[in-house]
Amino acid sequence: MAHIVTIGEILVEFMAKEIGQKFYESGDFVGPFPSGAPAIFIDQAAQCGSTTRILSAVGDDGFGRINLERLQRNGVDISKIKVLKDATTGVAFVTYKDDGDRDFIFHITNAACGRIDEELVGEEDFKGCKYFHIMGSAIYNDGVYRAILKGIKLAQRNNCKITFDPNVRKEIVTNEEKRSILMDILNQAQIILAGENEIFYLTGVEDELTSVKALLEKNAEMVVIKRGSRGATLYTKDEVINIDAYKVKEIDPTGAGDCFAGTFVSCINQGIKPLEALGLAAIAGAKAVTRKGPMEGNTTLEELRLLDNENQNK
Ligand code: ATP
């Protein structure tokens, strides 16, 4: 039994060493780093003290092993990660542009995580589960999408809330059909954690408050907008709370949003009030960008609370 369950890609990431490096020119990359948005999320949720499980698949290779060992070490239930003999673990390469934007090349559709389908998802995954977390990046093929839909049905039948991070990647959300899939999930979620431009991209409504209000009138109880180094905003039916970012020197932005979401959902699961959860999530997101590697800056709740206390005593 796990209180927080997620599904989707587990992969290793190789990161360009230099800003401005191009995929079409030879250059140095560092890695492999354990990665995949759902994996980063669930690792952080576990480090913050919740019981967690991820449904996924890796190959029977070193790239699978680095992920399995990391997730298990940090307390994630890895019993529903299939280890496939006839597929290799997913891989992503990332380059950084001068303006802070990133490009990805994903090898996931034809990798082990591309084999996830509805058979992986069972009623037992949702018995006692309180939050089913979905990442928009996980709709990379039909099998995973069907698995997510089955998960949503089972979650709803078991009174488990849907938490959703659209995590829109232009390399994955390639057409209108995929946008509308994400829109459907957005409309069903109780907790939404979105990047600043993602709600606009999905709803087509330019004014943030208008689109968030529409979500709060449907199924959403909380909508959090993540704004990178400018902090975050929490919207509920009753209030709007803006918080500043926790000041750090950014080394690598990859994984901040997943780490933020993992902290927020894990805190809410443990009964921590939304405002405190938001503050701790912002510290976790900030901490994540101080380390190269998507999961390398993940942190325990104890450490986040220490940093929070230090910050308040400044
Ligand atoms: P990604 O998709 O790359 O994981 P995201 O767009 O989902 O990112 P961000 O807004 O980049 O998420 O980051 C999540 C949170 O982490 C922010 O709301 C902020 O609180 C914190 N954060 C991110 N970048 C920084 C930074 N440079 N300095 C301080 N805090 C940061």
Side-chain angles (χ1 to χ4, degrees), residues 177-268:
E177 191 194 345
K178 292 206 164 157
R179 193 195 63 82
S180 91
I181 286 174
L182 294 185
M183 193 60 208
D184 277 352
I185 304 174
L186 186 73
N187 283 327
Q188 297 190 64
Q190 277 80 38
I191 300 180
I192 296 163
L193 302 121
E196 214 170 14
N197 299 318
E198 289 175 344
I199 296 280
F200 167 53
Y201 172 80
L202 293 179
T203 60
V205 179
E206 214 162 316
D207 181 52
E208 183 177 294
L209 187 60
T210 308
S211 53
V212 169
K213 268 190 180 160
L215 291 168
L216 290 167
E217 276 163 18
K218 290 184 188 132
N219 289 306
E221 294 164 5
M222 294 184 236
V223 180
V224 181
I225 303 294
K226 299 171 279 174
R227 306 187 198 280
S229 60
R230 285 174 293 106
T233 305
L234 168 68
Y235 293 92
T236 66
K237 286 194 178 69
D238 308 316
E239 52 190 350
V240 180
I241 301 166
N242 289 300
I243 57 157
D244 290 335
Y246 178 80
K247 297 275 169 290
V248 289
K249 184 172 167 358
E250 181 176 307
I251 306 288
D252 169 24
T254 314
D258 311 323
C259 185
F260 180 103
T263 307
F264 189 79
V265 176
S266 191
C267 286
I268 295 293

Coordinates of all heavy atoms in Angstrom, one line a residue, residues 177-268:
E177 N -4.3 16.5 -30.6 CA -4.9 15.4 -29.8 C -4.2 15.3 -28.4 O -4.9 15.1 -27.4 CB -4.7 14.1 -30.6 CG -5.4 12.9 -30.1 CD -4.9 11.6 -30.7 OE1 -4.2 11.7 -31.7 OE2 -5.2 10.6 -30.1
K178 N -2.9 15.4 -28.4 CA -2.2 15.3 -27.2 C -2.5 16.5 -26.2 O -2.6 16.3 -25.0 CB -0.7 15.2 -27.4 CG -0.4 13.9 -28.1 CD 1.0 13.4 -27.8 CE 1.1 12.0 -28.2 NZ 2.5 11.5 -28.5
R179 N -2.7 17.7 -26.8 CA -3.1 18.8 -26.0 C -4.4 18.6 -25.4 O -4.6 18.8 -24.2 CB -3.1 20.1 -26.9 CG -3.2 21.4 -26.0 CD -3.6 22.6 -26.9 NE -4.9 22.4 -27.4 CZ -6.1 22.6 -26.7 NH1 -6.0 23.1 -25.5 NH2 -7.2 22.4 -27.3
S180 N -5.4 18.0 -26.1 CA -6.7 17.8 -25.6 C -6.7 16.7 -24.5 O -7.5 16.7 -23.6 CB -7.7 17.6 -26.7 OG -7.9 16.3 -27.0
I181 N -5.8 15.7 -24.7 CA -5.6 14.7 -23.6 C -5.2 15.3 -22.3 O -5.8 15.1 -21.2 CB -4.6 13.6 -24.0 CG1 -5.1 12.7 -25.1 CG2 -4.1 12.8 -22.8 CD1 -4.0 11.8 -25.7
L182 N -4.3 16.2 -22.4 CA -3.8 16.9 -21.2 C -4.9 17.8 -20.6 O -5.1 17.9 -19.4 CB -2.6 17.8 -21.5 CG -1.3 17.0 -21.9 CD1 -0.1 17.9 -22.0 CD2 -1.0 15.9 -20.8
M183 N -5.7 18.4 -21.5 CA -6.8 19.3 -21.0 C -7.8 18.4 -20.3 O -8.3 18.9 -19.2 CB -7.4 19.9 -22.3 CG -8.3 21.0 -22.1 SD -7.5 22.4 -21.2 CE -9.0 23.0 -20.4
D184 N -8.1 17.2 -20.7 CA -9.1 16.3 -20.0 C -8.6 16.0 -18.6 O -9.4 16.0 -17.7 CB -9.2 15.0 -20.8 CG -10.2 15.1 -21.9 OD1 -10.8 16.1 -22.0 OD2 -10.2 14.1 -22.7
I185 N -7.3 15.7 -18.5 CA -6.7 15.4 -17.2 C -6.8 16.6 -16.3 O -7.2 16.5 -15.1 CB -5.3 14.8 -17.3 CG1 -5.3 13.6 -18.2 CG2 -4.8 14.4 -15.9 CD1 -3.9 13.0 -18.5
L186 N -6.4 17.8 -16.9 CA -6.4 19.0 -16.1 C -7.8 19.3 -15.5 O -7.9 19.7 -14.3 CB -6.1 20.2 -17.1 CG -5.9 21.6 -16.5 CD1 -4.6 21.6 -15.7 CD2 -5.9 22.6 -17.6
N187 N -8.9 19.0 -16.3 CA -10.2 19.2 -15.8 C -10.7 18.3 -14.7 O -11.6 18.5 -14.0 CB -11.2 19.2 -17.0 CG -11.2 20.5 -17.8 OD1 -10.9 21.5 -17.2 ND2 -11.4 20.3 -19.1
Q188 N -10.0 17.1 -14.6 CA -10.4 16.1 -13.6 C -9.6 16.2 -12.3 O -9.9 15.6 -11.3 CB -10.2 14.7 -14.1 CG -11.1 14.5 -15.3 CD -11.0 13.0 -15.7 OE1 -11.5 12.2 -15.0 NE2 -10.5 12.7 -16.9
A189 N -8.5 17.0 -12.3 CA -7.5 17.0 -11.2 C -8.0 17.8 -10.0 O -8.6 18.9 -10.2 CB -6.2 17.5 -11.7
Q190 N -7.7 17.3 -8.8 CA -8.0 18.1 -7.6 C -6.8 19.1 -7.2 O -7.0 20.1 -6.6 CB -8.3 17.2 -6.4 CG -9.7 16.6 -6.3 CD -9.9 15.5 -7.3 OE1 -9.0 14.6 -7.4 NE2 -11.0 15.4 -7.9
I191 N -5.6 18.6 -7.5 CA -4.4 19.5 -7.2 C -3.7 19.6 -8.5 O -3.3 18.6 -9.1 CB -3.5 18.9 -6.1 CG1 -4.3 18.8 -4.8 CG2 -2.3 19.8 -5.9 CD1 -3.5 18.2 -3.6
I192 N -3.5 20.9 -8.9 CA -2.8 21.1 -10.2 C -1.5 21.9 -9.9 O -1.6 22.9 -9.1 CB -3.7 21.9 -11.2 CG1 -4.9 21.1 -11.5 CG2 -2.9 22.4 -12.4 CD1 -6.1 21.9 -12.1
L193 N -0.4 21.5 -10.4 CA 0.9 22.2 -10.2 C 1.4 22.4 -11.6 O 2.0 21.5 -12.3 CB 1.8 21.3 -9.4 CG 1.3 20.9 -8.0 CD1 1.2 19.4 -7.9 CD2 2.1 21.5 -6.9
A194 N 1.3 23.6 -12.1 CA 1.6 23.9 -13.5 C 2.7 25.0 -13.6 O 2.8 25.9 -12.8 CB 0.4 24.3 -14.2
G195 N 3.5 24.9 -14.7 CA 4.4 25.9 -15.0 C 3.6 27.1 -15.5 O 2.5 27.0 -15.9
E196 N 4.2 28.3 -15.5 CA 3.5 29.6 -15.7 C 2.8 29.6 -17.1 O 1.7 30.1 -17.2 CB 4.6 30.7 -15.7 CG 4.0 32.0 -15.2 CD 5.1 33.0 -14.9 OE1 6.3 32.8 -15.4 OE2 4.8 33.9 -14.2
N197 N 3.4 29.1 -18.1 CA 2.8 29.2 -19.4 C 1.9 28.0 -19.8 O 1.2 28.0 -20.8 CB 3.9 29.3 -20.5 CG 4.7 30.6 -20.3 OD1 4.1 31.6 -20.0 ND2 6.0 30.5 -20.4
E198 N 1.9 27.0 -18.9 CA 1.3 25.7 -19.3 C -0.3 25.8 -19.3 O -0.9 25.3 -20.1 CB 1.8 24.6 -18.4 CG 3.2 24.2 -18.7 CD 3.8 23.2 -17.8 OE1 3.2 23.0 -16.7 OE2 4.8 22.7 -18.1
I199 N -0.8 26.5 -18.3 CA -2.3 26.7 -18.2 C -2.8 27.4 -19.4 O -3.7 27.1 -20.1 CB -2.7 27.4 -16.9 CG1 -2.3 26.6 -15.7 CG2 -4.2 27.7 -16.9 CD1 -3.2 25.4 -15.3
F200 N -2.0 28.5 -19.8 CA -2.4 29.3 -21.0 C -2.3 28.4 -22.2 O -3.2 28.3 -23.1 CB -1.4 30.5 -21.1 CG -1.5 31.2 -22.4 CD1 -2.7 31.6 -23.0 CD2 -0.3 31.4 -23.2 CE1 -2.8 32.2 -24.2 CE2 -0.4 32.0 -24.4 CZ -1.6 32.4 -24.9
Y201 N -1.2 27.6 -22.3 CA -1.0 26.7 -23.5 C -2.2 25.7 -23.6 O -2.7 25.5 -24.7 CB 0.3 26.0 -23.4 CG 0.5 24.9 -24.4 CD1 0.9 25.2 -25.7 CD2 0.2 23.6 -24.1 CE1 1.0 24.2 -26.7 CE2 0.3 22.6 -25.1 CZ 0.7 22.9 -26.4 OH 0.8 21.9 -27.3
L202 N -2.6 25.2 -22.5 CA -3.7 24.1 -22.5 C -5.0 24.7 -22.7 O -5.8 24.2 -23.5 CB -3.6 23.3 -21.2 CG -2.4 22.4 -21.1 CD1 -2.4 21.6 -19.8 CD2 -2.2 21.4 -22.2
T203 N -5.4 25.8 -22.0 CA -6.7 26.3 -22.0 C -6.9 27.3 -23.1 O -8.1 27.6 -23.6 CB -7.1 27.0 -20.7 OG1 -6.2 28.1 -20.5 CG2 -7.0 26.1 -19.5
G204 N -5.8 28.0 -23.6 CA -6.0 29.0 -24.6 C -6.4 30.3 -24.0 O -6.6 31.3 -24.7
V205 N -6.7 30.3 -22.7 CA -7.1 31.6 -22.0 C -5.9 32.3 -21.5 O -5.1 31.8 -20.7 CB -8.1 31.2 -20.8 CG1 -8.5 32.5 -20.1 CG2 -9.3 30.4 -21.3
E206 N -5.8 33.6 -22.0 CA -4.5 34.3 -21.7 C -4.4 34.8 -20.2 O -3.4 34.8 -19.6 CB -4.5 35.5 -22.6 CG -3.1 35.9 -23.0 CD -3.0 36.8 -24.2 OE1 -3.8 36.5 -25.2 OE2 -2.2 37.7 -24.2
D207 N -5.6 35.1 -19.7 CA -5.6 35.7 -18.3 C -5.5 34.5 -17.3 O -6.4 33.7 -17.2 CB -6.8 36.5 -18.1 CG -6.8 37.1 -16.7 OD1 -5.8 37.7 -16.3 OD2 -7.8 36.9 -15.9
E208 N -4.4 34.5 -16.5 CA -4.2 33.3 -15.6 C -5.3 33.2 -14.6 O -5.9 32.1 -14.4 CB -2.9 33.6 -14.8 CG -2.5 32.4 -13.9 CD -1.2 32.7 -13.3 OE1 -0.1 32.7 -14.0 OE2 -1.1 32.9 -12.0
L209 N -5.8 34.3 -14.0 CA -6.8 34.2 -12.9 C -8.1 33.7 -13.5 O -8.7 32.8 -12.9 CB -7.0 35.6 -12.4 CG -8.0 35.7 -11.2 CD1 -7.4 34.9 -10.0 CD2 -8.1 37.2 -10.7
T210 N -8.5 34.1 -14.7 CA -9.7 33.6 -15.3 C -9.6 32.1 -15.5 O -10.5 31.3 -15.2 CB -9.9 34.3 -16.7 OG1 -9.8 35.7 -16.5 CG2 -11.2 33.9 -17.3
S211 N -8.5 31.6 -16.1 CA -8.4 30.1 -16.4 C -8.3 29.3 -15.1 O -8.9 28.3 -14.9 CB -7.2 29.8 -17.3 OG -6.1 30.4 -16.8
V212 N -7.6 29.9 -14.0 CA -7.5 29.2 -12.8 C -8.9 29.1 -12.1 O -9.3 28.1 -11.6 CB -6.5 29.8 -11.8 CG1 -6.6 29.3 -10.4 CG2 -5.1 29.6 -12.4
K213 N -9.6 30.2 -12.1 CA -11.0 30.3 -11.5 C -11.9 29.2 -12.2 O -12.6 28.5 -11.5 CB -11.6 31.6 -11.7 CG -11.4 32.6 -10.6 CD -12.2 33.8 -10.7 CE -12.0 34.8 -9.6 NZ -12.4 36.2 -10.0
A214 N -11.8 29.1 -13.5 CA -12.6 28.1 -14.2 C -12.2 26.7 -13.7 O -13.1 25.8 -13.5 CB -12.4 28.2 -15.7
L215 N -11.0 26.4 -13.4 CA -10.5 25.1 -12.9 C -11.1 24.9 -11.5 O -11.5 23.8 -11.2 CB -9.0 25.0 -13.0 CG -8.4 24.9 -14.3 CD1 -6.9 25.1 -14.3 CD2 -8.8 23.6 -15.0
L216 N -11.0 25.9 -10.7 CA -11.5 25.8 -9.3 C -13.0 25.6 -9.2 O -13.5 25.1 -8.3 CB -11.1 27.1 -8.5 CG -9.6 27.2 -8.2 CD1 -9.2 28.6 -7.7 CD2 -9.1 26.1 -7.2
E217 N -13.7 26.1 -10.3 CA -15.1 25.8 -10.3 C -15.5 24.4 -10.8 O -16.6 23.9 -10.6 CB -15.8 26.8 -11.3 CG -16.1 28.1 -10.6 CD -16.4 29.3 -11.6 OE1 -16.7 29.0 -12.8 OE2 -16.2 30.4 -11.1
K218 N -14.5 23.7 -11.4 CA -14.7 22.3 -11.8 C -14.2 21.4 -10.6 O -14.8 21.4 -9.6 CB -13.9 22.0 -13.1 CG -14.5 22.7 -14.3 CD -13.9 22.3 -15.5 CE -14.4 23.2 -16.7 NZ -13.3 23.8 -17.5
N219 N -13.1 20.7 -10.8 CA -12.7 19.7 -9.8 C -11.6 20.2 -8.9 O -11.3 19.6 -7.9 CB -12.4 18.4 -10.4 CG -13.6 17.7 -10.9 OD1 -14.6 17.5 -10.2 ND2 -13.7 17.4 -12.2
A220 N -10.9 21.2 -9.3 CA -9.6 21.6 -8.6 C -9.9 22.2 -7.2 O -10.8 23.0 -7.1 CB -8.8 22.6 -9.5
E221 N -9.1 21.8 -6.3 CA -9.2 22.4 -4.9 C -8.0 23.3 -4.7 O -8.2 24.3 -4.0 CB -9.1 21.3 -3.9 CG -10.3 20.3 -3.9 CD -10.0 19.0 -3.1 OE1 -9.0 18.9 -2.5 OE2 -10.9 18.1 -3.2
M222 N -6.9 23.0 -5.4 CA -5.7 23.9 -5.3 C -5.1 23.9 -6.7 O -4.9 22.9 -7.3 CB -4.7 23.3 -4.3 CG -5.2 23.3 -2.9 SD -3.8 22.8 -1.8 CE -4.6 21.4 -1.0
V223 N -4.7 25.1 -7.1 CA -3.9 25.3 -8.3 C -2.6 26.0 -7.9 O -2.7 27.1 -7.4 CB -4.6 26.0 -9.4 CG1 -3.8 26.2 -10.7 CG2 -6.0 25.4 -9.7
V224 N -1.5 25.4 -8.2 CA -0.2 26.1 -7.9 C 0.5 26.4 -9.2 O 0.6 25.6 -10.1 CB 0.7 25.2 -7.1 CG1 2.1 25.9 -6.8 CG2 0.1 24.7 -5.8
I225 N 0.8 27.7 -9.4 CA 1.6 28.1 -10.6 C 3.0 28.3 -10.2 O 3.4 29.0 -9.3 CB 1.0 29.4 -11.2 CG1 -0.5 29.2 -11.5 CG2 1.8 29.8 -12.4 CD1 -0.9 28.3 -12.6
K226 N 3.9 27.6 -10.9 CA 5.4 27.6 -10.6 C 6.0 28.6 -11.5 O 5.8 28.6 -12.7 CB 6.0 26.2 -10.8 CG 5.4 25.1 -10.0 CD 5.9 23.8 -10.4 CE 5.1 23.2 -11.5 NZ 5.7 21.9 -12.0
R227 N 6.8 29.6 -10.9 CA 7.4 30.6 -11.7 C 8.9 30.7 -11.7 O 9.5 31.8 -11.6 CB 6.8 32.0 -11.2 CG 5.3 32.0 -11.2 CD 4.8 33.4 -10.9 NE 3.4 33.4 -10.4 CZ 2.3 33.3 -11.3 NH1 2.5 33.3 -12.6 NH2 1.1 33.3 -10.8
G228 N 9.5 29.5 -11.6 CA 11.0 29.5 -11.6 C 11.6 30.4 -10.5 O 11.1 30.4 -9.4
S229 N 12.6 31.2 -10.9 CA 13.3 32.1 -9.9 C 12.4 33.2 -9.4 O 12.8 34.0 -8.5 CB 14.5 32.6 -10.5 OG 14.2 33.4 -11.6
R230 N 11.1 33.3 -9.9 CA 10.2 34.3 -9.4 C 9.2 33.7 -8.4 O 8.2 34.4 -8.0 CB 9.5 35.0 -10.5 CG 10.5 36.0 -11.2 CD 9.9 36.7 -12.4 NE 9.7 35.6 -13.5 CZ 8.5 35.1 -13.8 NH1 7.4 35.5 -13.2 NH2 8.4 34.2 -14.7
G231 N 9.4 32.5 -7.9 CA 8.6 31.9 -6.9 C 7.4 31.2 -7.4 O 7.4 30.5 -8.5
A232 N 6.3 31.3 -6.7 CA 5.1 30.5 -7.0 C 3.8 31.1 -6.4 O 3.9 31.9 -5.5 CB 5.2 29.0 -6.5
T233 N 2.7 30.7 -7.0 CA 1.4 31.2 -6.5 C 0.5 30.0 -6.2 O 0.4 29.1 -7.0 CB 0.7 32.1 -7.6 OG1 1.6 33.2 -7.9 CG2 -0.6 32.7 -7.0
L234 N -0.2 30.1 -5.1 CA -1.2 29.1 -4.7 C -2.6 29.7 -4.8 O -2.8 30.7 -4.2 CB -1.0 28.5 -3.3 CG -2.1 27.7 -2.7 CD1 -2.2 26.3 -3.5 CD2 -1.8 27.4 -1.2
Y235 N -3.4 29.1 -5.6 CA -4.8 29.6 -5.7 C -5.7 28.5 -5.1 O -5.6 27.3 -5.4 CB -5.3 29.7 -7.2 CG -4.6 30.8 -8.0 CD1 -3.5 30.5 -8.7 CD2 -5.2 32.0 -8.1 CE1 -2.9 31.5 -9.5 CE2 -4.6 33.0 -8.9 CZ -3.5 32.7 -9.6 OH -2.9 33.7 -10.4
T236 N -6.6 28.9 -4.2 CA -7.7 28.0 -3.7 C -9.0 28.8 -4.0 O -8.9 30.0 -4.4 CB -7.6 27.7 -2.2 OG1 -7.8 28.9 -1.5 CG2 -6.3 27.1 -1.9
K237 N -10.1 28.2 -3.6 CA -11.4 28.9 -3.8 C -11.4 30.2 -3.0 O -12.1 31.2 -3.4 CB -12.6 28.0 -3.4 CG -12.8 26.9 -4.5 CD -14.1 26.3 -4.3 CE -14.4 25.2 -5.4 NZ -13.6 24.0 -5.3
D238 N -10.7 30.2 -1.8 CA -10.8 31.3 -0.9 C -9.7 32.3 -1.0 O -9.8 33.4 -0.5 CB -10.9 30.8 0.5 CG -12.0 29.8 0.7 OD1 -13.0 30.0 0.1 OD2 -11.7 28.7 1.3
E239 N -8.5 31.9 -1.5 CA -7.4 32.8 -1.4 C -6.4 32.6 -2.5 O -6.3 31.6 -3.2 CB -6.7 32.8 0.0 CG -6.3 31.4 0.4 CD -5.8 31.3 1.9 OE1 -5.6 32.3 2.5 OE2 -5.7 30.2 2.3
V240 N -5.5 33.7 -2.6 CA -4.4 33.6 -3.6 C -3.2 34.0 -2.8 O -3.1 35.0 -2.2 CB -4.6 34.7 -4.7 CG1 -3.4 34.6 -5.7 CG2 -5.9 34.5 -5.4
I241 N -2.2 33.1 -2.8 CA -1.0 33.3 -2.0 C 0.2 33.3 -2.9 O 0.5 32.3 -3.6 CB -0.8 32.2 -0.9 CG1 -2.0 32.2 0.0 CG2 0.5 32.5 -0.1 CD1 -2.1 31.0 0.9
N242 N 1.0 34.4 -2.9 CA 2.2 34.5 -3.7 C 3.4 34.3 -2.8 O 3.4 34.9 -1.7 CB 2.3 35.8 -4.4 CG 1.3 36.0 -5.5 OD1 1.3 35.2 -6.5 ND2 0.5 37.0 -5.4
I243 N 4.3 33.5 -3.2 CA 5.6 33.4 -2.4 C 6.8 33.6 -3.3 O 6.8 33.3 -4.4 CB 5.7 32.1 -1.6 CG1 5.7 30.9 -2.5 CG2 4.7 31.9 -0.5 CD1 6.4 29.7 -1.9
D244 N 7.8 34.3 -2.7 CA 9.0 34.5 -3.4 C 9.8 33.2 -3.5 O 9.6 32.3 -2.6 CB 9.9 35.5 -2.6 CG 9.3 36.9 -2.7 OD1 8.6 37.2 -3.6 OD2 9.5 37.7 -1.7
A245 N 10.7 33.2 -4.4 CA 11.6 32.0 -4.5 C 12.6 32.1 -3.3 O 12.9 33.2 -2.8 CB 12.4 32.1 -5.8
Y246 N 13.1 31.0 -2.9 CA 14.2 30.9 -1.9 C 15.5 31.2 -2.7 O 15.7 30.6 -3.8 CB 14.1 29.5 -1.3 CG 15.2 29.2 -0.3 CD1 15.0 29.6 1.0 CD2 16.3 28.4 -0.7 CE1 16.0 29.3 1.9 CE2 17.3 28.1 0.2 CZ 17.1 28.5 1.5 OH 18.1 28.2 2.5
K247 N 16.3 32.1 -2.2 CA 17.4 32.6 -3.0 C 18.5 31.6 -3.1 O 19.1 31.1 -2.1 CB 17.9 33.9 -2.5 CG 17.0 35.1 -2.5 CD 17.0 35.8 -3.9 CE 15.8 36.7 -4.1 NZ 14.5 36.2 -4.2
V248 N 18.9 31.2 -4.3 CA 20.0 30.3 -4.5 C 20.7 30.7 -5.8 O 20.2 31.4 -6.6 CB 19.6 28.8 -4.7 CG1 19.1 28.2 -3.4 CG2 18.5 28.6 -5.7
K249 N 21.9 30.1 -6.0 CA 22.6 30.3 -7.3 C 22.2 29.1 -8.2 O 22.5 27.9 -7.8 CB 24.1 30.3 -7.1 CG 24.9 30.6 -8.4 CD 26.4 30.8 -8.0 CE 27.3 30.8 -9.2 NZ 26.9 30.6 -10.5
E250 N 21.6 29.4 -9.3 CA 21.1 28.3 -10.2 C 22.2 27.6 -11.0 O 23.0 28.3 -11.7 CB 20.0 28.8 -11.2 CG 19.5 27.7 -12.1 CD 18.3 28.2 -13.0 OE1 17.4 28.8 -12.5 OE2 18.5 28.0 -14.2
I251 N 22.4 26.3 -10.9 CA 23.4 25.6 -11.6 C 22.7 24.8 -12.8 O 23.2 24.8 -13.9 CB 24.1 24.6 -10.8 CG1 24.7 25.2 -9.5 CG2 25.2 23.8 -11.5 CD1 25.9 26.1 -9.8
D252 N 21.5 24.3 -12.5 CA 20.8 23.5 -13.5 C 19.3 23.4 -13.2 O 19.0 22.9 -12.1 CB 21.5 22.0 -13.5 CG 20.6 21.1 -14.3 OD1 19.9 21.5 -15.2 OD2 20.7 19.9 -14.1
P253 N 18.5 24.0 -14.1 CA 17.0 24.0 -13.7 C 16.3 22.7 -13.8 O 15.2 22.6 -13.3 CB 16.5 25.0 -14.8 CG 17.4 24.8 -15.9 CD 18.8 24.5 -15.4
T254 N 16.9 21.7 -14.4 CA 16.1 20.4 -14.7 C 15.7 19.8 -13.4 O 16.5 19.6 -12.5 CB 17.0 19.5 -15.5 OG1 17.6 20.2 -16.5 CG2 16.2 18.3 -16.0
G255 N 14.4 19.5 -13.3 CA 13.9 18.7 -12.2 C 13.3 19.6 -11.1 O 12.6 19.1 -10.2
A256 N 13.4 20.9 -11.2 CA 12.9 21.8 -10.1 C 11.4 21.6 -9.9 O 10.9 21.5 -8.8 CB 13.3 23.3 -10.4
G257 N 10.7 21.6 -11.0 CA 9.2 21.6 -10.9 C 8.8 20.2 -10.4 O 7.8 20.2 -9.6
D258 N 9.4 19.1 -10.7 CA 9.0 17.8 -10.2 C 9.3 17.7 -8.7 O 8.6 17.1 -8.0 CB 9.8 16.7 -11.0 CG 9.7 16.9 -12.5 OD1 8.6 17.4 -12.9 OD2 10.7 16.7 -13.2
C259 N 10.5 18.3 -8.3 CA 10.9 18.2 -6.9 C 9.9 19.1 -6.1 O 9.5 18.7 -5.0 CB 12.3 18.8 -6.9 SG 13.1 18.7 -5.3
F260 N 9.6 20.2 -6.6 CA 8.6 21.1 -6.0 C 7.3 20.4 -5.8 O 6.7 20.3 -4.7 CB 8.4 22.3 -6.9 CG 7.4 23.4 -6.4 CD1 7.8 24.6 -5.8 CD2 6.0 23.1 -6.5 CE1 6.9 25.5 -5.4 CE2 5.1 24.1 -6.1 CZ 5.5 25.3 -5.5
A261 N 6.8 19.7 -6.9 CA 5.5 19.0 -6.8 C 5.6 17.8 -5.8 O 4.6 17.6 -5.0 CB 5.1 18.5 -8.2
G262 N 6.7 17.1 -5.8 CA 6.8 15.9 -4.9 C 6.8 16.4 -3.5 O 6.2 15.7 -2.6
T263 N 7.4 17.5 -3.2 CA 7.4 18.1 -1.8 C 6.0 18.5 -1.4 O 5.5 18.2 -0.4 CB 8.3 19.3 -1.7 OG1 9.6 18.9 -2.2 CG2 8.5 19.8 -0.3
F264 N 5.3 19.2 -2.4 CA 4.0 19.8 -2.0 C 3.0 18.7 -1.8 O 2.3 18.7 -0.7 CB 3.5 20.7 -3.2 CG 2.3 21.4 -2.9 CD1 2.3 22.6 -2.1 CD2 1.0 21.0 -3.3 CE1 1.2 23.3 -1.8 CE2 -0.1 21.7 -3.0 CZ -0.1 22.9 -2.2
V265 N 2.9 17.7 -2.7 CA 1.9 16.6 -2.5 C 2.3 15.8 -1.3 O 1.4 15.4 -0.5 CB 1.9 15.8 -3.8 CG1 0.9 14.6 -3.6 CG2 1.4 16.6 -5.0
S266 N 3.6 15.5 -1.0 CA 3.9 14.7 0.1 C 3.6 15.5 1.4 O 3.1 14.9 2.4 CB 5.5 14.4 0.1 OG 5.8 13.5 1.0
C267 N 3.8 16.8 1.5 CA 3.4 17.5 2.7 C 1.9 17.5 2.9 O 1.4 17.3 4.0 CB 3.9 19.0 2.5 SG 5.7 19.2 2.7
I268 N 1.2 17.8 1.8 CA -0.3 17.8 1.9 C -0.8 16.4 2.4 O -1.6 16.3 3.3 CB -1.0 18.2 0.6 CG1 -0.6 19.6 0.2 CG2 -2.5 18.0 0.6 CD1 -1.2 20.7 1.0

